Amino acid sequence: MSLDPVKLADTREWFSKARDDIRSAEALLGATPPLYDEVSFHCQQAIEKTLKGFLFWHNEPFQKTHDLNVIGGRCCAIDPSLQSHLRRAAPLTQYAVEYRYPGPLVHPSRADVEQMIGLAKEVLEEILSRMPEAVAP
């Protein structure tokens, strides 16, 4: 079966943006001082873009939301084997907006953000393992 080159390129762009968010998170973790709130934001964004890339590939429309519960639920409807990974990722939703502004929040620790980076990488790898190789960035 021949794959649509435009759809391949557009899907690859979603995953490329996700990978760039992971790279940004790693760079911000290495900053002096480390920027943990910003790391957590980029981890959430990496997972969001990964999931939206999966939905895009499967011709599943999605709304403009940062809620990983909602987006992940749509992905699990396509592939239920993603459920355990996406359930663990859902709490990162809080880092999409709330942590971008001042307020009385409990900020993540180094251990927290290291776990988030690992989770973002895991979700990207899991999704890519279910996709044609040609969409990998």
Side-chain angles (χ1 to χ4, degrees):
M1 177 176 105
S2 174
L3 299 174
D4 176 359
V6 173
K7 186 171 185 176
L8 280 171
D10 290 348
T11 304
R12 187 179 307 115
E13 186 67 19
W14 278 103
F15 297 133
S16 179
K17 292 286 187 185
R19 184 160 284 154
D20 287 349
D21 273 313
I22 292 170
R23 290 180 59 222
S24 295
E26 291 172 327
L28 292 165
L29 181 60
T32 305
L35 301 167
Y36 298 151
D37 288 354
E38 288 75 11
V39 170
S40 59
F41 168 75
H42 283 287
C43 290
Q44 185 282 334
Q45 286 291 292
I47 294 169
E48 180 181 328
K49 290 169 188 161
T50 298
L51 300 182
K52 287 180 175 179
F54 183 75
L55 292 173
F56 177 82
W57 177 257
H58 289 283
N59 298 314
E60 287 292 324
F62 48 86
Q63 58 193 16
K64 290 189 177 193
T65 181
H66 300 295
D67 190 333
L68 297 178
N69 286 302
V70 171
I71 303 164
R74 302 284 307 273
C75 293
C76 288
I78 296 167
D79 185 343
S81 70
L82 290 167
Q83 189 171 14
S84 66
H85 301 286
L86 301 187
R87 185 179 297 130
R88 290 186 14 249
L92 273 70
T93 295
Q94 67 181 324
Y95 299 106
V97 177
E98 289 88 354
Y99 281 76
R100 305 293 290 163
Y101 299 96
L105 303 169
V106 176
H107 297 279
S109 68
R110 182 175 193 91
D112 292 336
V113 297
E114 286 174 348
Q115 271 190 318
M116 289 179 207
I117 291 171
L119 183 57
K121 288 178 177 180
E122 176 188 319
V123 169
L124 180 59
E125 289 171 17
E126 285 296 324
I127 293 292
L128 289 176
S129 75
R130 292 159 168 81
M131 304 292 295
E133 283 186 38
V135 301

